[in-house]
Amino acid sequence: MPFVEIYLRKGKSPEFREAVSAAVHESMREVLQIPEDDRFHVVHDMEPGGILHAPTFFGVERSADSVIIRMTFNRRPPAQKSALFEAVADRLAATTGMRREDVLMTVLETAAENWWALGRTIDPETGFDTRMSPEAVRAGRVG
């Protein structure tokens, strides 16, 4: 049950907001192999001054249209998170025209027991949603 927060500059169209959300969700489906209906995103419209950053950091110029994406889910291997970051950035560039330089992402990992939603069932052995394929569970297991 991933939970996603998307921080955008205020004034973006509903279509743009949906396109960003869809790009993140499809990337999570591809890389994390989550179920299709496992989508819960909150979009935060930030007033001017609500997202503050240096115009150049890590040696890369960033625009005022930077977006911050925070994804929360159970622990995953570093390579899988790296693949997810690349998939989201690629998909956002392809579907919204966003510059990869303006995409900032973070993952917050949490234990499976810290989630609740009516109807959700967890395999006590793996800690993952019972609807996930065995291959997806194996790919996401750590330790």
Side-chain angles (χ1 to χ4, degrees), residues 22-40:
V24 173
H25 183 66
E26 288 306 313
S27 297
M28 292 178 108
R29 286 195 26 75
E30 172 190 319
V31 176
L32 303 182
Q33 299 182 353
I34 63 171
E36 184 175 349
D37 68 344
D38 203 352
R39 180 179 178 187
F40 195 92

PDB file of all heavy atoms in Angstrom, residues 22-40:
ATOM      1  N   ALA A  22      -0.356   9.788 -12.379  1.00  0.00           N
ATOM      2  CA  ALA A  22      -0.376   8.583 -13.206  1.00  0.00           C
ATOM      3  C   ALA A  22       1.042   8.103 -13.522  1.00  0.00           C
ATOM      4  O   ALA A  22       1.311   6.894 -13.510  1.00  0.00           O
ATOM      5  CB  ALA A  22      -1.152   8.845 -14.501  1.00  0.00           C
ATOM      6  N   ALA A  23       1.947   9.033 -13.785  1.00  0.00           N
ATOM      7  CA  ALA A  23       3.333   8.652 -14.079  1.00  0.00           C
ATOM      8  C   ALA A  23       3.972   7.957 -12.879  1.00  0.00           C
ATOM      9  O   ALA A  23       4.659   6.938 -13.035  1.00  0.00           O
ATOM     10  CB  ALA A  23       4.146   9.885 -14.476  1.00  0.00           C
ATOM     11  N   VAL A  24       3.720   8.478 -11.689  1.00  0.00           N
ATOM     12  CA  VAL A  24       4.270   7.858 -10.482  1.00  0.00           C
ATOM     13  C   VAL A  24       3.642   6.477 -10.291  1.00  0.00           C
ATOM     14  O   VAL A  24       4.341   5.489 -10.049  1.00  0.00           O
ATOM     15  CB  VAL A  24       4.046   8.749  -9.248  1.00  0.00           C
ATOM     16  CG1 VAL A  24       4.458   8.028  -7.972  1.00  0.00           C
ATOM     17  CG2 VAL A  24       4.790  10.075  -9.387  1.00  0.00           C
ATOM     18  N   HIS A  25       2.315   6.403 -10.423  1.00  0.00           N
ATOM     19  CA  HIS A  25       1.626   5.135 -10.189  1.00  0.00           C
ATOM     20  C   HIS A  25       2.065   4.058 -11.188  1.00  0.00           C
ATOM     21  O   HIS A  25       2.342   2.913 -10.800  1.00  0.00           O
ATOM     22  CB  HIS A  25       0.112   5.334 -10.248  1.00  0.00           C
ATOM     23  CG  HIS A  25      -0.655   4.086  -9.949  1.00  0.00           C
ATOM     24  ND1 HIS A  25      -0.639   3.489  -8.714  1.00  0.00           N
ATOM     25  CD2 HIS A  25      -1.439   3.313 -10.741  1.00  0.00           C
ATOM     26  CE1 HIS A  25      -1.397   2.393  -8.746  1.00  0.00           C
ATOM     27  NE2 HIS A  25      -1.889   2.266  -9.964  1.00  0.00           N
ATOM     28  N   GLU A  26       2.135   4.401 -12.458  1.00  0.00           N
ATOM     29  CA  GLU A  26       2.534   3.415 -13.464  1.00  0.00           C
ATOM     30  C   GLU A  26       3.975   2.956 -13.249  1.00  0.00           C
ATOM     31  O   GLU A  26       4.296   1.792 -13.454  1.00  0.00           O
ATOM     32  CB  GLU A  26       2.332   3.956 -14.878  1.00  0.00           C
ATOM     33  CG  GLU A  26       0.869   4.055 -15.278  1.00  0.00           C
ATOM     34  CD  GLU A  26       0.120   2.726 -15.095  1.00  0.00           C
ATOM     35  OE1 GLU A  26       0.622   1.660 -15.518  1.00  0.00           O
ATOM     36  OE2 GLU A  26      -0.971   2.751 -14.489  1.00  0.00           O
ATOM     37  N   SER A  27       4.818   3.856 -12.804  1.00  0.00           N
ATOM     38  CA  SER A  27       6.198   3.478 -12.502  1.00  0.00           C
ATOM     39  C   SER A  27       6.246   2.523 -11.315  1.00  0.00           C
ATOM     40  O   SER A  27       7.004   1.547 -11.322  1.00  0.00           O
ATOM     41  CB  SER A  27       7.039   4.727 -12.204  1.00  0.00           C
ATOM     42  OG  SER A  27       7.103   5.551 -13.352  1.00  0.00           O
ATOM     43  N   MET A  28       5.426   2.774 -10.308  1.00  0.00           N
ATOM     44  CA  MET A  28       5.369   1.882  -9.149  1.00  0.00           C
ATOM     45  C   MET A  28       4.809   0.517  -9.543  1.00  0.00           C
ATOM     46  O   MET A  28       5.279  -0.512  -9.059  1.00  0.00           O
ATOM     47  CB  MET A  28       4.532   2.508  -8.031  1.00  0.00           C
ATOM     48  CG  MET A  28       5.183   3.727  -7.426  1.00  0.00           C
ATOM     49  SD  MET A  28       4.155   4.473  -6.171  1.00  0.00           S
ATOM     50  CE  MET A  28       5.102   4.003  -4.735  1.00  0.00           C
ATOM     51  N   ARG A  29       3.823   0.509 -10.432  1.00  0.00           N
ATOM     52  CA  ARG A  29       3.275  -0.772 -10.908  1.00  0.00           C
ATOM     53  C   ARG A  29       4.355  -1.562 -11.640  1.00  0.00           C
ATOM     54  O   ARG A  29       4.501  -2.752 -11.452  1.00  0.00           O
ATOM     55  CB  ARG A  29       2.075  -0.539 -11.821  1.00  0.00           C
ATOM     56  CG  ARG A  29       0.855  -0.124 -11.032  1.00  0.00           C
ATOM     57  CD  ARG A  29      -0.464  -0.204 -11.751  1.00  0.00           C
ATOM     58  NE  ARG A  29      -0.646  -1.127 -12.833  1.00  0.00           N
ATOM     59  CZ  ARG A  29      -0.803  -2.465 -12.724  1.00  0.00           C
ATOM     60  NH1 ARG A  29      -0.774  -3.039 -11.553  1.00  0.00           N
ATOM     61  NH2 ARG A  29      -0.995  -3.216 -13.792  1.00  0.00           N
ATOM     62  N   GLU A  30       5.116  -0.876 -12.475  1.00  0.00           N
ATOM     63  CA  GLU A  30       6.161  -1.527 -13.265  1.00  0.00           C
ATOM     64  C   GLU A  30       7.308  -2.030 -12.383  1.00  0.00           C
ATOM     65  O   GLU A  30       7.721  -3.184 -12.499  1.00  0.00           O
ATOM     66  CB  GLU A  30       6.700  -0.529 -14.291  1.00  0.00           C
ATOM     67  CG  GLU A  30       7.911  -0.990 -15.068  1.00  0.00           C
ATOM     68  CD  GLU A  30       8.515   0.155 -15.876  1.00  0.00           C
ATOM     69  OE1 GLU A  30       7.744   0.939 -16.469  1.00  0.00           O
ATOM     70  OE2 GLU A  30       9.746   0.260 -15.884  1.00  0.00           O
ATOM     71  N   VAL A  31       7.824  -1.183 -11.519  1.00  0.00           N
ATOM     72  CA  VAL A  31       9.030  -1.515 -10.765  1.00  0.00           C
ATOM     73  C   VAL A  31       8.726  -2.279  -9.474  1.00  0.00           C
ATOM     74  O   VAL A  31       9.381  -3.272  -9.170  1.00  0.00           O
ATOM     75  CB  VAL A  31       9.841  -0.239 -10.451  1.00  0.00           C
ATOM     76  CG1 VAL A  31      11.053  -0.558  -9.590  1.00  0.00           C
ATOM     77  CG2 VAL A  31      10.260   0.458 -11.742  1.00  0.00           C
ATOM     78  N   LEU A  32       7.732  -1.819  -8.724  1.00  0.00           N
ATOM     79  CA  LEU A  32       7.402  -2.480  -7.459  1.00  0.00           C
ATOM     80  C   LEU A  32       6.376  -3.592  -7.640  1.00  0.00           C
ATOM     81  O   LEU A  32       6.134  -4.370  -6.725  1.00  0.00           O
ATOM     82  CB  LEU A  32       6.863  -1.465  -6.441  1.00  0.00           C
ATOM     83  CG  LEU A  32       7.756  -0.277  -6.105  1.00  0.00           C
ATOM     84  CD1 LEU A  32       7.091   0.592  -5.059  1.00  0.00           C
ATOM     85  CD2 LEU A  32       9.141  -0.718  -5.672  1.00  0.00           C
ATOM     86  N   GLN A  33       5.746  -3.616  -8.805  1.00  0.00           N
ATOM     87  CA  GLN A  33       4.730  -4.608  -9.151  1.00  0.00           C
ATOM     88  C   GLN A  33       3.566  -4.586  -8.157  1.00  0.00           C
ATOM     89  O   GLN A  33       3.073  -5.628  -7.732  1.00  0.00           O
ATOM     90  CB  GLN A  33       5.343  -6.001  -9.273  1.00  0.00           C
ATOM     91  CG  GLN A  33       6.381  -6.052 -10.368  1.00  0.00           C
ATOM     92  CD  GLN A  33       6.988  -7.421 -10.564  1.00  0.00           C
ATOM     93  OE1 GLN A  33       6.750  -8.339  -9.812  1.00  0.00           O
ATOM     94  NE2 GLN A  33       7.786  -7.546 -11.608  1.00  0.00           N
ATOM     95  N   ILE A  34       3.122  -3.375  -7.830  1.00  0.00           N
ATOM     96  CA  ILE A  34       1.969  -3.239  -6.944  1.00  0.00           C
ATOM     97  C   ILE A  34       0.689  -3.511  -7.735  1.00  0.00           C
ATOM     98  O   ILE A  34       0.670  -3.378  -8.962  1.00  0.00           O
ATOM     99  CB  ILE A  34       1.917  -1.839  -6.286  1.00  0.00           C
ATOM    100  CG1 ILE A  34       1.749  -0.745  -7.344  1.00  0.00           C
ATOM    101  CG2 ILE A  34       3.145  -1.604  -5.417  1.00  0.00           C
ATOM    102  CD1 ILE A  34       1.472   0.644  -6.779  1.00  0.00           C
ATOM    103  N   PRO A  35      -0.398  -3.867  -7.057  1.00  0.00           N
ATOM    104  CA  PRO A  35      -1.670  -4.068  -7.757  1.00  0.00           C
ATOM    105  C   PRO A  35      -2.156  -2.765  -8.410  1.00  0.00           C
ATOM    106  O   PRO A  35      -1.858  -1.669  -7.946  1.00  0.00           O
ATOM    107  CB  PRO A  35      -2.625  -4.496  -6.639  1.00  0.00           C
ATOM    108  CG  PRO A  35      -1.746  -5.044  -5.570  1.00  0.00           C
ATOM    109  CD  PRO A  35      -0.485  -4.232  -5.641  1.00  0.00           C
ATOM    110  N   GLU A  36      -2.908  -2.905  -9.482  1.00  0.00           N
ATOM    111  CA  GLU A  36      -3.382  -1.748 -10.248  1.00  0.00           C
ATOM    112  C   GLU A  36      -4.174  -0.765  -9.395  1.00  0.00           C
ATOM    113  O   GLU A  36      -4.046   0.449  -9.541  1.00  0.00           O
ATOM    114  CB  GLU A  36      -4.239  -2.220 -11.427  1.00  0.00           C
ATOM    115  CG  GLU A  36      -4.681  -1.088 -12.326  1.00  0.00           C
ATOM    116  CD  GLU A  36      -5.421  -1.576 -13.552  1.00  0.00           C
ATOM    117  OE1 GLU A  36      -5.420  -2.793 -13.829  1.00  0.00           O
ATOM    118  OE2 GLU A  36      -6.009  -0.736 -14.239  1.00  0.00           O
ATOM    119  N   ASP A  37      -5.000  -1.286  -8.495  1.00  0.00           N
ATOM    120  CA  ASP A  37      -5.857  -0.388  -7.710  1.00  0.00           C
ATOM    121  C   ASP A  37      -5.182   0.144  -6.450  1.00  0.00           C
ATOM    122  O   ASP A  37      -5.798   0.817  -5.649  1.00  0.00           O
ATOM    123  CB  ASP A  37      -7.167  -1.091  -7.339  1.00  0.00           C
ATOM    124  CG  ASP A  37      -6.972  -2.230  -6.345  1.00  0.00           C
ATOM    125  OD1 ASP A  37      -5.828  -2.700  -6.158  1.00  0.00           O
ATOM    126  OD2 ASP A  37      -7.984  -2.661  -5.756  1.00  0.00           O
ATOM    127  N   ASP A  38      -3.908  -0.118  -6.275  1.00  0.00           N
ATOM    128  CA  ASP A  38      -3.184   0.310  -5.079  1.00  0.00           C
ATOM    129  C   ASP A  38      -2.637   1.718  -5.292  1.00  0.00           C
ATOM    130  O   ASP A  38      -1.423   1.938  -5.386  1.00  0.00           O
ATOM    131  CB  ASP A  38      -2.060  -0.680  -4.779  1.00  0.00           C
ATOM    132  CG  ASP A  38      -1.630  -0.642  -3.331  1.00  0.00           C
ATOM    133  OD1 ASP A  38      -2.083   0.246  -2.595  1.00  0.00           O
ATOM    134  OD2 ASP A  38      -0.823  -1.505  -2.935  1.00  0.00           O
ATOM    135  N   ARG A  39      -3.547   2.676  -5.394  1.00  0.00           N
ATOM    136  CA  ARG A  39      -3.174   4.062  -5.690  1.00  0.00           C
ATOM    137  C   ARG A  39      -3.827   4.989  -4.686  1.00  0.00           C
ATOM    138  O   ARG A  39      -5.054   5.068  -4.593  1.00  0.00           O
ATOM    139  CB  ARG A  39      -3.619   4.426  -7.105  1.00  0.00           C
ATOM    140  CG  ARG A  39      -3.271   5.843  -7.509  1.00  0.00           C
ATOM    141  CD  ARG A  39      -3.732   6.099  -8.922  1.00  0.00           C
ATOM    142  NE  ARG A  39      -3.479   7.443  -9.350  1.00  0.00           N
ATOM    143  CZ  ARG A  39      -3.901   7.953 -10.486  1.00  0.00           C
ATOM    144  NH1 ARG A  39      -4.584   7.182 -11.332  1.00  0.00           N
ATOM    145  NH2 ARG A  39      -3.654   9.194 -10.803  1.00  0.00           N
ATOM    146  N   PHE A  40      -2.992   5.680  -3.914  1.00  0.00           N
ATOM    147  CA  PHE A  40      -3.477   6.708  -3.000  1.00  0.00           C
ATOM    148  C   PHE A  40      -2.442   7.817  -2.990  1.00  0.00           C
ATOM    149  O   PHE A  40      -1.361   7.672  -2.422  1.00  0.00           O
ATOM    150  CB  PHE A  40      -3.677   6.151  -1.582  1.00  0.00           C
ATOM    151  CG  PHE A  40      -4.491   7.063  -0.720  1.00  0.00           C
ATOM    152  CD1 PHE A  40      -5.867   6.916  -0.647  1.00  0.00           C
ATOM    153  CD2 PHE A  40      -3.899   8.089  -0.007  1.00  0.00           C
ATOM    154  CE1 PHE A  40      -6.639   7.770   0.129  1.00  0.00           C
ATOM    155  CE2 PHE A  40      -4.651   8.947   0.775  1.00  0.00           C
ATOM    156  CZ  PHE A  40      -6.016   8.777   0.845  1.00  0.00           C
TER     157      PHE A  40
END
